[in-house]
Amino acid sequence: MVLLKSFMLAGLTAVVAAKSAVLDLIPSNFDEVVLKSGKPTLVEFFAPWCGHCKSLAPVYEELAHAFEFTKDVQIAKVDADAERSLGKRFGVQGFPTLKWFDGKSDKPTEYNGGRDLEALTAFITEKTGIKSKKKLAPPSSVTYLTDATFKNTIGGDKHVLVAFTAPWCGHCKSLAPTWESLATTFANEPNVVIAKVDAEAENSKATANDYGVTSYPTIKFFPKGSTTPEDYNGGRSEEAFVAFLNEQAGTHRAAGGGVDATAGTFAVLDEIVTKYIGGTPLTDAAAEVKKAAESLKEDAQYKYAEYYIRVFDKLSKSDSFAAKELARLEGILKKGGLAPTKLDELTTKTNILRKFVEKVTGKDEL
């Protein structure tokens, strides 16, 4: 029975190994497969004991499967610890090293981009024009920064929250889906950037060193207009990040997407609404709102201060406008299918209309 199990396990191992789409290269087949085939080839030089290589392995395998439908590009690897002559031949000094052979020259170019599936796929498509048949995840809203782009992103008119990560880091992998969701939540905020830096990539590790990053993930916040960061030491849930950014950037986002119940509202204008409901003549309240709104022109949400003015104007023609319009917009929101910007707009308007309706309801009950 033990012997039978051993044969079964051996057979299973062979089947799993046979499914690999990555070509294995050794000195005796390298030139034939890569240099003389005329096929563009991405080659990973790795070592079995290398932690970074182990982290890259499943991504690299997935990349190979994504392009195995075509014979016009190859994904290959070399165990450069075992086949040191190949590593030495192509100037490999660390692991993993990725080199691109264009199918024409025996002199490859080194790949220094991201080590995620999306970045690697985009690189091959850019080089060959061949598109992967694998259905990729929706485009990320995270801004990936390098040494070349980092300084152009911070210090301007945007608040920037940056996560410095490493491909092998378990905590970074745990943070990744939250970071993606956070970036999607703030995708419609023009003054907020959710960014990431691969602190160990050749094209971005200098930036990590400049900011004293020694552990991962390290999260830093750059307020707009500043190149001096603040360390973020709060919780790592999306709710915690959203609360932090709302406070720092003056935004009104809700975890999971959309805006919160305060978006578009102004305390100074709400006070006037309260007085109107309490008995202030509509014409007087409308004039007061218009005057108060003048002081809010520099606010990013000023267009919603104008919406208060519009509501008062509509109420002068129909005192049931707020309630009817709120019901209409809530009906549209309930149906769903709205573009994110439209969803934000309608939710914000319902926030304002609800101030009027809640006050009216309270008065009626009294």
Side-chain angles (χ1 to χ4, degrees):
M1 181 64 72
V2 174
L3 184 60
L4 178 59
K5 285 184 177 180
S6 297
F7 278 123
M8 290 175 66
L9 288 173
L12 179 60
T13 302
V15 171
V16 172
K19 288 185 178 180
S20 176
V22 180
L23 301 176
D24 285 300
L25 301 174
I26 56 177
S28 62
N29 71 0
F30 191 96
D31 286 12
E32 193 69 29
V33 173
V34 179
L35 302 182
K36 297 179 181 179
S37 67
K39 298 177 181 180
T41 308
L42 183 65
V43 180
E44 176 200 7
F45 293 83
F46 74 98
W49 46 260
C50 161
H52 296 305
C53 303
K54 292 176 182 177
S55 297
L56 178 61
V59 175
Y60 203 66
E61 185 66 48
E62 198 170 353
L63 178 72
H65 279 292
F67 285 95
E68 67 178 340
F69 71 93
T70 178
K71 295 181 178 180
D72 296 325
V73 65
Q74 302 179 130
I75 310 299
K77 69 180 187 291
V78 173
D79 180 347
D81 191 44
E83 312 296 348
R84 296 189 180 186
S85 62
L86 282 176
K88 183 177 181 181
R89 178 181 175 186
F90 294 105
V92 174
Q93 297 180 330
F95 306 119
T97 291
L98 293 165
K99 289 185 180 284
W100 175 253
F101 293 81
D102 64 8
K104 302 173 183 176
S105 170
D106 61 355
K107 294 180 173 58
T109 56
E110 192 155 333
Y111 172 80
N112 292 313
R115 292 177 184 172
D116 56 279
L117 180 61
E118 287 74 17
L120 289 163
T121 300
F123 172 79
I124 291 176
T125 298
E126 179 185 350
K127 289 293 187 180
T128 65
I130 301 170
K131 294 183 179 180
S132 161
K133 281 192 174 180
K134 180 178 177 60
K135 186 177 180 181
L136 299 177
S140 173
S141 294
V142 174
T143 300
Y144 289 85
L145 299 176
T146 64
D147 296 335
T149 60
F150 193 91
K151 291 181 180 178
N152 293 329
T153 303
I154 64 168
D157 60 354
K158 301 178 188 298
H159 300 278
V160 185
L161 187 65
V162 185
F164 292 84
T165 64
W168 50 265
C169 162
H171 292 303
C172 302
K173 292 176 183 177
S174 297
L175 176 66
T178 300
W179 207 248
E180 287 290 341
S181 181
L182 180 67
T184 300
T185 294
F186 280 87
N188 286 331
E189 291 292 342
N191 298 322
V192 175
V193 176
I194 307 301
K196 186 181 282 189
V197 171
D198 181 345
E200 296 200 344
E202 289 299 324
N203 63 349
S204 53
K205 64 182 181 181
T207 295
N209 290 334
D210 288 344
Y211 288 96
V213 175
T214 57
S215 61
Y216 312 117
T218 290
I219 301 170
K220 293 181 180 288
F221 176 70
F222 293 80
K224 68 177 181 179
S226 175
T227 56
T228 302
E230 302 171 11
D231 288 334
Y232 174 83
N233 295 309
R236 291 184 181 174
S237 65
E238 185 181 352
E239 290 77 9
F241 288 126
V242 169
F244 173 80
L245 285 169
N246 281 343
E247 181 179 354
Q248 296 293 325
T251 50
H252 296 271
R253 287 286 145 188
V259 292
D260 64 21
T262 65
T265 63
F266 297 87
V268 64
L269 302 184
D270 291 339
E271 289 177 10
I272 299 171
V273 173
T274 301
K275 289 194 292 182
Y276 159 65
I277 298 304
T280 298
L282 185 146
T283 53
D284 293 348
E288 193 174 349
V289 160
K290 192 171 184 178
K291 181 179 179 180
E294 286 293 317
S295 65
L296 301 171
K297 281 190 173 181
E298 298 303 315
D299 194 288
Q301 295 195 102
Y302 174 68
K303 68 177 181 179
Y304 292 112
E306 294 182 308
Y307 190 66
Y308 278 81
I309 298 172
R310 182 186 173 197
V311 173
F312 271 109
D313 180 59
K314 292 290 185 179
L315 286 170
S316 69
K317 300 177 178 65
S318 171
D319 58 9
S320 63
F321 168 77
K324 289 182 177 179
E325 182 66 359
L326 177 60
R328 185 182 76 85
L329 296 185
E330 286 181 332
I332 295 173
L333 290 169
K334 189 175 181 179
K335 289 180 181 178
L338 297 171
T341 52
K342 195 65 177 179
L343 177 63
D344 289 351
E345 178 190 342
L346 297 191
T347 303
T348 302
K349 286 181 176 179
T350 62
N351 288 345
I352 297 168
L353 290 166
R354 203 166 283 115
K355 297 291 183 180
F356 288 84
V357 174
E358 286 174 354
K359 300 297 183 183
V360 170
T361 301
K363 180 181 178 183
D364 290 345
E365 291 175 349
L366 292 173

